[in-house]
Amino acid sequence: MSLTENLIREIDSRRDDLIELTQDLLRIPTLNPPGENYRDICDYLDRRLSTSGFETELIRAHGTPGDCEKYPRWNIVARREGKQKGECVHFNSHIDVVDVGHGWTKDPFGGELVDGRIYGRGACDMKGGLAASIIAAEAFLVVCPDFTGAIEISGTADEESGGYGGVAYLAQKGYFNPKRVHHVIIPEPLNKDRICLGHRGVWWAEVETYGEIAHGSMPFLGDCAIRHMGAVVEEMEKSLFPALAEKRTDMPVVPEGARQSTLNINSIHGGQSEGDADFTGLPSPCVPDSCRMVIDRRFLVEEDIEEVQEEVLQIMKTVEERREDFRYDVRELHRVLPTMTDKKAPVVRTVAKAIEETMGKPAEYVVSPGTYDQKHIDRIGKLDNCIAYGPGILDLAHKPDEYVGVDDMLDSAKVMGRSLIELLARP
């Protein structure tokens, strides 16, 4: 029996283990924000991977956004060295999950198994991928104990809020240095027959309009900042949104609607702050002197970041020309440039071959509509041999009744295991 056949048999024999591992991970509610139970899940992974012979390191990202004594930003990096020196394959998964939201018919942290699907917040995004990578690595170690190089598995914080307490911090500390790590696979849920080469760019900004406070019964003595912001939104609807819809990309972004430039108005806050939940009184009658809007602009590899900014600034200038006493600020909150790994990169060719051997059809190449931690590996780590590949259906991420299919996890584990054979067990 060949090495690959032994690997497939070993992975299939671990089906129940894969289910239990995924359920255990889901039952640790690592909600972000605020960043709950990060240490608990790292301790769990520490016990699991140490038992499999990995040297583990727990790393707190001191001083990063959100890190505090109540919600420390913990990460784990586990490494298993081979018999001889060689290249390192690193599987990186984020351990945080988003808010549960409404509309669930299953326990969001129950890990319920129904008809071959495991339900829970983070099932597809991306604890199912984390579990699949662990099963793949452990099965590979059984059938190929004398491999060359090294395997790393990491569980990292805060991907859902930018990754600064996770992969960005580790990259700054050298954990993704190309001299240390050579191939990175991020098991994000892009479907088991797809390789995600990268993602669109993002520019977040806060727009603030100013007015003058006055008594609400005499608004003519003040200046309403919310009305000024309304004019900004109106101008965006009139000129910016149609212009963005005309911009198209050659990047293979999925879904189809994301092959154009997009803008999301993330939030608008104006006037008085909302009272506490137990406050039953009425607001005071005041004209709002400030209104803030957060925008989330996603842009294409064909666009320039300066042009992206200038489009918003031009909206503000247009409104300024039309409105008396219009005053505003635009503050950048966050920027990430688009990234896309070359199809000829070693990790891409290796995983593509493994997908075709496992699924019986060629791999599909896609680009993510939103960013993920590849941005930090690329920008800070200077490692461009990185992809996202994992089980799960992208459309289920952040939705109620999120789930991951057991068979999809097994197939993805086989792809990951075959990739380890190709990269670490071949002469």
Side-chain angles (χ1 to χ4, degrees), residues 328-362:
Y328 67 90
D329 277 321
V330 178
R331 295 179 286 270
E332 179 178 294
L333 301 178
H334 178 54
R335 68 160 66 185
V336 175
L337 298 180
T339 187
M340 191 164 68
T341 300
D342 195 305
K343 286 184 182 179
K344 297 179 182 178
V347 73
V348 178
R349 290 187 284 106
T350 299
V351 175
K353 179 183 177 183
I355 288 174
E356 186 161 5
E357 290 174 347
T358 304
M359 313 296 175
K361 61 179 181 178

mmCIF file of all heavy atoms in Angstrom, residues 328-362:
data_model
loop_
_atom_site.group_PDB
_atom_site.id
_atom_site.type_symbol
_atom_site.label_atom_id
_atom_site.label_comp_id
_atom_site.label_asym_id
_atom_site.label_seq_id
_atom_site.Cartn_x
_atom_site.Cartn_y
_atom_site.Cartn_z
ATOM 1 N N TYR A 328 -16.286 69.524 8.278
ATOM 2 C CA TYR A 328 -16.149 68.070 8.364
ATOM 3 C C TYR A 328 -14.694 67.681 8.589
ATOM 4 O O TYR A 328 -13.764 68.469 8.406
ATOM 5 C CB TYR A 328 -16.644 67.419 7.060
ATOM 6 C CG TYR A 328 -15.781 67.727 5.870
ATOM 7 C CD1 TYR A 328 -14.710 66.905 5.526
ATOM 8 C CD2 TYR A 328 -16.025 68.859 5.087
ATOM 9 C CE1 TYR A 328 -13.904 67.184 4.431
ATOM 10 C CE2 TYR A 328 -15.225 69.141 3.982
ATOM 11 C CZ TYR A 328 -14.165 68.316 3.668
ATOM 12 O OH TYR A 328 -13.359 68.587 2.590
ATOM 13 N N ASP A 329 -14.517 66.429 8.992
ATOM 14 C CA ASP A 329 -13.212 65.772 9.051
ATOM 15 C C ASP A 329 -13.354 64.383 8.453
ATOM 16 O O ASP A 329 -14.417 63.747 8.568
ATOM 17 C CB ASP A 329 -12.703 65.636 10.492
ATOM 18 C CG ASP A 329 -12.029 66.896 10.999
ATOM 19 O OD1 ASP A 329 -11.314 67.518 10.201
ATOM 20 O OD2 ASP A 329 -12.230 67.237 12.188
ATOM 21 N N VAL A 330 -12.281 63.895 7.840
ATOM 22 C CA VAL A 330 -12.204 62.511 7.378
ATOM 23 C C VAL A 330 -10.949 61.902 7.988
ATOM 24 O O VAL A 330 -9.842 62.401 7.767
ATOM 25 C CB VAL A 330 -12.153 62.409 5.840
ATOM 26 C CG1 VAL A 330 -12.018 60.949 5.411
ATOM 27 C CG2 VAL A 330 -13.399 63.027 5.212
ATOM 28 N N ARG A 331 -11.123 60.845 8.773
ATOM 29 C CA ARG A 331 -10.001 60.210 9.469
ATOM 30 C C ARG A 331 -9.874 58.754 9.031
ATOM 31 O O ARG A 331 -10.848 57.995 9.115
ATOM 32 C CB ARG A 331 -10.202 60.279 10.990
ATOM 33 C CG ARG A 331 -10.180 61.703 11.546
ATOM 34 C CD ARG A 331 -10.399 61.703 13.059
ATOM 35 N NE ARG A 331 -11.785 61.415 13.397
ATOM 36 C CZ ARG A 331 -12.725 62.339 13.528
ATOM 37 N NH1 ARG A 331 -12.443 63.625 13.325
ATOM 38 N NH2 ARG A 331 -13.953 61.990 13.861
ATOM 39 N N GLU A 332 -8.709 58.390 8.592
ATOM 40 C CA GLU A 332 -8.470 56.994 8.223
ATOM 41 C C GLU A 332 -8.401 56.135 9.481
ATOM 42 O O GLU A 332 -7.729 56.474 10.443
ATOM 43 C CB GLU A 332 -7.167 56.866 7.429
ATOM 44 C CG GLU A 332 -6.846 55.436 7.034
ATOM 45 C CD GLU A 332 -5.573 55.320 6.208
ATOM 46 O OE1 GLU A 332 -5.555 55.822 5.061
ATOM 47 O OE2 GLU A 332 -4.605 54.732 6.722
ATOM 48 N N LEU A 333 -9.079 54.978 9.451
ATOM 49 C CA LEU A 333 -9.065 54.037 10.564
ATOM 50 C C LEU A 333 -8.217 52.806 10.270
ATOM 51 O O LEU A 333 -7.597 52.239 11.172
ATOM 52 C CB LEU A 333 -10.500 53.585 10.893
ATOM 53 C CG LEU A 333 -11.503 54.690 11.268
ATOM 54 C CD1 LEU A 333 -12.869 54.062 11.508
ATOM 55 C CD2 LEU A 333 -11.040 55.454 12.503
ATOM 56 N N HIS A 334 -8.180 52.413 9.002
ATOM 57 C CA HIS A 334 -7.583 51.103 8.693
ATOM 58 C C HIS A 334 -7.396 51.007 7.192
ATOM 59 O O HIS A 334 -8.252 51.464 6.415
ATOM 60 C CB HIS A 334 -8.549 50.021 9.190
ATOM 61 C CG HIS A 334 -8.135 48.618 8.919
ATOM 62 N ND1 HIS A 334 -6.919 48.103 9.288
ATOM 63 C CD2 HIS A 334 -8.811 47.587 8.329
ATOM 64 C CE1 HIS A 334 -6.860 46.820 8.931
ATOM 65 N NE2 HIS A 334 -7.992 46.496 8.357
ATOM 66 N N ARG A 335 -6.279 50.431 6.767
ATOM 67 C CA ARG A 335 -6.076 50.184 5.338
ATOM 68 C C ARG A 335 -5.320 48.874 5.132
ATOM 69 O O ARG A 335 -4.420 48.538 5.885
ATOM 70 C CB ARG A 335 -5.328 51.331 4.666
ATOM 71 C CG ARG A 335 -3.877 51.467 5.098
ATOM 72 C CD ARG A 335 -3.063 52.270 4.086
ATOM 73 N NE ARG A 335 -3.459 53.657 3.982
ATOM 74 C CZ ARG A 335 -2.943 54.496 3.085
ATOM 75 N NH1 ARG A 335 -2.021 54.075 2.226
ATOM 76 N NH2 ARG A 335 -3.347 55.750 3.050
ATOM 77 N N VAL A 336 -5.718 48.145 4.107
ATOM 78 C CA VAL A 336 -5.031 46.923 3.701
ATOM 79 C C VAL A 336 -5.029 46.901 2.182
ATOM 80 O O VAL A 336 -6.079 47.059 1.550
ATOM 81 C CB VAL A 336 -5.724 45.649 4.225
ATOM 82 C CG1 VAL A 336 -5.051 44.402 3.671
ATOM 83 C CG2 VAL A 336 -5.715 45.618 5.747
ATOM 84 N N LEU A 337 -3.874 46.720 1.583
ATOM 85 C CA LEU A 337 -3.786 46.652 0.137
ATOM 86 C C LEU A 337 -4.211 45.273 -0.355
ATOM 87 O O LEU A 337 -4.073 44.279 0.359
ATOM 88 C CB LEU A 337 -2.357 46.956 -0.320
ATOM 89 C CG LEU A 337 -1.821 48.347 0.023
ATOM 90 C CD1 LEU A 337 -0.397 48.497 -0.502
ATOM 91 C CD2 LEU A 337 -2.715 49.446 -0.520
ATOM 92 N N PRO A 338 -4.733 45.189 -1.578
ATOM 93 C CA PRO A 338 -5.080 43.874 -2.124
ATOM 94 C C PRO A 338 -3.843 42.981 -2.220
ATOM 95 O O PRO A 338 -2.719 43.461 -2.387
ATOM 96 C CB PRO A 338 -5.619 44.206 -3.523
ATOM 97 C CG PRO A 338 -5.953 45.660 -3.487
ATOM 98 C CD PRO A 338 -5.010 46.286 -2.519
ATOM 99 N N THR A 339 -4.049 41.678 -2.121
ATOM 100 C CA THR A 339 -2.947 40.733 -2.269
ATOM 101 C C THR A 339 -3.435 39.519 -3.041
ATOM 102 O O THR A 339 -4.607 39.123 -2.922
ATOM 103 C CB THR A 339 -2.376 40.305 -0.908
ATOM 104 O OG1 THR A 339 -1.207 39.503 -1.108
ATOM 105 C CG2 THR A 339 -3.380 39.510 -0.097
ATOM 106 N N MET A 340 -2.543 38.934 -3.841
ATOM 107 C CA MET A 340 -2.910 37.739 -4.601
ATOM 108 C C MET A 340 -1.645 36.940 -4.901
ATOM 109 O O MET A 340 -0.743 37.404 -5.594
ATOM 110 C CB MET A 340 -3.632 38.114 -5.897
ATOM 111 C CG MET A 340 -4.272 36.919 -6.590
ATOM 112 S SD MET A 340 -5.510 37.366 -7.839
ATOM 113 C CE MET A 340 -4.486 38.114 -9.091
ATOM 114 N N THR A 341 -1.576 35.723 -4.375
ATOM 115 C CA THR A 341 -0.443 34.843 -4.591
ATOM 116 C C THR A 341 -0.455 34.302 -6.021
ATOM 117 O O THR A 341 -1.518 33.979 -6.563
ATOM 118 C CB THR A 341 -0.481 33.676 -3.591
ATOM 119 O OG1 THR A 341 -0.420 34.203 -2.265
ATOM 120 C CG2 THR A 341 0.674 32.718 -3.801
ATOM 121 N N ASP A 342 0.709 34.197 -6.613
ATOM 122 C CA ASP A 342 0.847 33.692 -7.975
ATOM 123 C C ASP A 342 0.431 32.220 -8.041
ATOM 124 O O ASP A 342 0.761 31.433 -7.150
ATOM 125 C CB ASP A 342 2.305 33.835 -8.421
ATOM 126 C CG ASP A 342 2.473 33.670 -9.928
ATOM 127 O OD1 ASP A 342 2.037 32.632 -10.468
ATOM 128 O OD2 ASP A 342 3.052 34.569 -10.562
ATOM 129 N N LYS A 343 -0.284 31.855 -9.096
ATOM 130 C CA LYS A 343 -0.713 30.465 -9.265
ATOM 131 C C LYS A 343 0.462 29.505 -9.379
ATOM 132 O O LYS A 343 0.321 28.303 -9.148
ATOM 133 C CB LYS A 343 -1.593 30.325 -10.504
ATOM 134 C CG LYS A 343 -2.995 30.887 -10.360
ATOM 135 C CD LYS A 343 -3.797 30.597 -11.620
ATOM 136 C CE LYS A 343 -5.197 31.201 -11.532
ATOM 137 N NZ LYS A 343 -5.970 30.944 -12.778
ATOM 138 N N LYS A 344 1.628 30.034 -9.739
ATOM 139 C CA LYS A 344 2.809 29.182 -9.891
ATOM 140 C C LYS A 344 3.561 28.975 -8.584
ATOM 141 O O LYS A 344 4.549 28.234 -8.551
ATOM 142 C CB LYS A 344 3.741 29.793 -10.943
ATOM 143 C CG LYS A 344 3.143 29.867 -12.341
ATOM 144 C CD LYS A 344 4.115 30.506 -13.325
ATOM 145 C CE LYS A 344 3.503 30.617 -14.719
ATOM 146 N NZ LYS A 344 4.433 31.288 -15.670
ATOM 147 N N ALA A 345 3.112 29.613 -7.501
ATOM 148 C CA ALA A 345 3.787 29.465 -6.214
ATOM 149 C C ALA A 345 3.729 27.998 -5.766
ATOM 150 O O ALA A 345 2.750 27.292 -6.040
ATOM 151 C CB ALA A 345 3.141 30.366 -5.172
ATOM 152 N N PRO A 346 4.765 27.532 -5.070
ATOM 153 C CA PRO A 346 4.814 26.110 -4.687
ATOM 154 C C PRO A 346 3.598 25.621 -3.913
ATOM 155 O O PRO A 346 3.078 24.534 -4.186
ATOM 156 C CB PRO A 346 6.093 26.027 -3.848
ATOM 157 C CG PRO A 346 6.951 27.138 -4.351
ATOM 158 C CD PRO A 346 6.012 28.241 -4.721
ATOM 159 N N VAL A 347 3.128 26.404 -2.942
ATOM 160 C CA VAL A 347 1.995 25.940 -2.139
ATOM 161 C C VAL A 347 0.730 25.865 -2.980
ATOM 162 O O VAL A 347 -0.122 24.991 -2.771
ATOM 163 C CB VAL A 347 1.797 26.830 -0.890
ATOM 164 C CG1 VAL A 347 1.221 28.199 -1.256
ATOM 165 C CG2 VAL A 347 0.911 26.136 0.132
ATOM 166 N N VAL A 348 0.585 26.764 -3.947
ATOM 167 C CA VAL A 348 -0.587 26.734 -4.823
ATOM 168 C C VAL A 348 -0.570 25.473 -5.683
ATOM 169 O O VAL A 348 -1.563 24.740 -5.776
ATOM 170 C CB VAL A 348 -0.640 27.991 -5.715
ATOM 171 C CG1 VAL A 348 -1.839 27.925 -6.659
ATOM 172 C CG2 VAL A 348 -0.714 29.259 -4.862
ATOM 173 N N ARG A 349 0.564 25.205 -6.330
ATOM 174 C CA ARG A 349 0.661 24.033 -7.200
ATOM 175 C C ARG A 349 0.482 22.730 -6.411
ATOM 176 O O ARG A 349 -0.180 21.783 -6.875
ATOM 177 C CB ARG A 349 2.009 24.040 -7.916
ATOM 178 C CG ARG A 349 2.134 25.131 -8.967
ATOM 179 C CD ARG A 349 3.410 25.027 -9.788
ATOM 180 N NE ARG A 349 4.586 25.478 -9.052
ATOM 181 C CZ ARG A 349 5.519 24.685 -8.561
ATOM 182 N NH1 ARG A 349 5.406 23.365 -8.688
ATOM 183 N NH2 ARG A 349 6.560 25.177 -7.916
ATOM 184 N N THR A 350 1.022 22.699 -5.199
ATOM 185 C CA THR A 350 0.924 21.486 -4.374
ATOM 186 C C THR A 350 -0.509 21.207 -3.963
ATOM 187 O O THR A 350 -1.012 20.077 -4.090
ATOM 188 C CB THR A 350 1.811 21.628 -3.134
ATOM 189 O OG1 THR A 350 3.168 21.790 -3.531
ATOM 190 C CG2 THR A 350 1.687 20.409 -2.236
ATOM 191 N N VAL A 351 -1.202 22.228 -3.452
ATOM 192 C CA VAL A 351 -2.579 22.035 -2.994
ATOM 193 C C VAL A 351 -3.507 21.779 -4.182
ATOM 194 O O VAL A 351 -4.443 20.971 -4.086
ATOM 195 C CB VAL A 351 -3.045 23.242 -2.158
ATOM 196 C CG1 VAL A 351 -4.517 23.114 -1.782
ATOM 197 C CG2 VAL A 351 -2.198 23.359 -0.888
ATOM 198 N N ALA A 352 -3.257 22.428 -5.312
ATOM 199 C CA ALA A 352 -4.075 22.189 -6.503
ATOM 200 C C ALA A 352 -3.987 20.727 -6.937
ATOM 201 O O ALA A 352 -4.994 20.094 -7.284
ATOM 202 C CB ALA A 352 -3.633 23.109 -7.634
ATOM 203 N N LYS A 353 -2.791 20.182 -6.925
ATOM 204 C CA LYS A 353 -2.603 18.770 -7.276
ATOM 205 C C LYS A 353 -3.344 17.872 -6.288
ATOM 206 O O LYS A 353 -4.005 16.895 -6.684
ATOM 207 C CB LYS A 353 -1.110 18.433 -7.280
ATOM 208 C CG LYS A 353 -0.797 16.983 -7.600
ATOM 209 C CD LYS A 353 0.706 16.716 -7.514
ATOM 210 C CE LYS A 353 1.024 15.248 -7.758
ATOM 211 N NZ LYS A 353 2.471 14.952 -7.598
ATOM 212 N N ALA A 354 -3.265 18.200 -4.994
ATOM 213 C CA ALA A 354 -3.929 17.389 -3.968
ATOM 214 C C ALA A 354 -5.445 17.452 -4.105
ATOM 215 O O ALA A 354 -6.141 16.455 -3.886
ATOM 216 C CB ALA A 354 -3.499 17.858 -2.579
ATOM 217 N N ILE A 355 -5.975 18.620 -4.458
ATOM 218 C CA ILE A 355 -7.421 18.752 -4.663
ATOM 219 C C ILE A 355 -7.872 17.878 -5.827
ATOM 220 O O ILE A 355 -8.868 17.141 -5.736
ATOM 221 C CB ILE A 355 -7.807 20.226 -4.919
ATOM 222 C CG1 ILE A 355 -7.681 21.036 -3.623
ATOM 223 C CG2 ILE A 355 -9.232 20.337 -5.469
ATOM 224 C CD1 ILE A 355 -7.889 22.529 -3.796
ATOM 225 N N GLU A 356 -7.143 17.926 -6.931
ATOM 226 C CA GLU A 356 -7.537 17.137 -8.100
ATOM 227 C C GLU A 356 -7.461 15.643 -7.797
ATOM 228 O O GLU A 356 -8.340 14.873 -8.214
ATOM 229 C CB GLU A 356 -6.651 17.485 -9.290
ATOM 230 C CG GLU A 356 -7.092 16.820 -10.580
ATOM 231 C CD GLU A 356 -6.526 17.483 -11.818
ATOM 232 O OE1 GLU A 356 -5.700 18.416 -11.684
ATOM 233 O OE2 GLU A 356 -6.910 17.062 -12.928
ATOM 234 N N GLU A 357 -6.449 15.227 -7.060
ATOM 235 C CA GLU A 357 -6.322 13.806 -6.710
ATOM 236 C C GLU A 357 -7.426 13.373 -5.754
ATOM 237 O O GLU A 357 -7.905 12.232 -5.818
ATOM 238 C CB GLU A 357 -4.960 13.555 -6.084
ATOM 239 C CG GLU A 357 -3.801 13.673 -7.067
ATOM 240 C CD GLU A 357 -2.451 13.566 -6.383
ATOM 241 O OE1 GLU A 357 -2.409 13.649 -5.129
ATOM 242 O OE2 GLU A 357 -1.430 13.410 -7.090
ATOM 243 N N THR A 358 -7.845 14.251 -4.861
ATOM 244 C CA THR A 358 -8.857 13.906 -3.858
ATOM 245 C C THR A 358 -10.267 14.026 -4.401
ATOM 246 O O THR A 358 -11.117 13.152 -4.169
ATOM 247 C CB THR A 358 -8.703 14.814 -2.618
ATOM 248 O OG1 THR A 358 -7.374 14.698 -2.102
ATOM 249 C CG2 THR A 358 -9.702 14.434 -1.539
ATOM 250 N N MET A 359 -10.551 15.111 -5.135
ATOM 251 C CA MET A 359 -11.913 15.394 -5.594
ATOM 252 C C MET A 359 -12.194 14.856 -6.998
ATOM 253 O O MET A 359 -13.342 14.813 -7.432
ATOM 254 C CB MET A 359 -12.175 16.909 -5.592
ATOM 255 C CG MET A 359 -11.743 17.632 -4.346
ATOM 256 S SD MET A 359 -12.628 17.126 -2.866
ATOM 257 C CE MET A 359 -11.709 18.083 -1.634
ATOM 258 N N GLY A 360 -11.119 14.530 -7.734
ATOM 259 C CA GLY A 360 -11.314 14.042 -9.092
ATOM 260 C C GLY A 360 -11.645 15.125 -10.083
ATOM 261 O O GLY A 360 -12.189 14.843 -11.160
ATOM 262 N N LYS A 361 -11.331 16.369 -9.775
ATOM 263 C CA LYS A 361 -11.554 17.475 -10.708
ATOM 264 C C LYS A 361 -10.558 18.583 -10.394
ATOM 265 O O LYS A 361 -10.057 18.681 -9.264
ATOM 266 C CB LYS A 361 -12.977 18.008 -10.593
ATOM 267 C CG LYS A 361 -13.345 18.568 -9.238
ATOM 268 C CD LYS A 361 -14.773 19.101 -9.230
ATOM 269 C CE LYS A 361 -15.148 19.693 -7.873
ATOM 270 N NZ LYS A 361 -16.515 20.253 -7.885
ATOM 271 N N PRO A 362 -10.259 19.441 -11.374
ATOM 272 C CA PRO A 362 -9.274 20.502 -11.144
ATOM 273 C C PRO A 362 -9.731 21.476 -10.061
ATOM 274 O O PRO A 362 -10.923 21.710 -9.865
ATOM 275 C CB PRO A 362 -9.170 21.199 -12.510
ATOM 276 C CG PRO A 362 -9.696 20.206 -13.488
ATOM 277 C CD PRO A 362 -10.741 19.415 -12.764
#
